[in-house]
Amino acid sequence: STVWWTKDSKSIAQVQRSAGDNSIVSLAIMQAGQKDQGTYDCCIKNSYGKLTTEFNLTAEVLKQLTSH
């Protein structure tokens, strides 16, 4: 399987996964700020198909994250 992330449709990371690897896939943004706002997509593709999920990092989300 191939897992990749995009931000505003631009590729930012990619990882190859082996069959049977059930570990968690994540993207960490250290010290997220205004420059990190945008639409993030995480996609996974293998012989069974492709799945994509989207997350919109907004100023409101950043405010909530920094308050924790």
Side-chain angles (χ1 to χ4, degrees):
S1 300
T2 303
V3 180
W4 70 95
W5 292 266
T6 62
K7 177 184 180 249
D8 299 328
S9 301
K10 295 177 184 167
S11 181
I12 57 173
Q14 183 172 315
V15 176
Q16 290 295 124
R17 301 286 296 254
S18 300
D21 183 349
N22 294 324
S23 60
I24 294 173
V25 175
S26 62
L27 177 68
I29 303 170
M30 305 306 288
Q31 298 180 344
Q34 283 187 324
K35 67 183 183 336
D36 299 305
Q37 291 182 58
T39 302
Y40 290 82
D41 292 306
C42 178
C43 305
I44 184 167
K45 184 177 181 181
N46 60 24
S47 59
Y48 297 102
K50 178 181 171 184
L51 181 65
T52 302
T53 189
E54 179 181 284
F55 180 76
N56 192 14
L57 183 59
T58 63
E60 183 62 31
V61 172
L62 282 171
K63 183 179 176 183
Q64 290 176 7
L65 291 173
T66 56
S67 67
H68 293 295

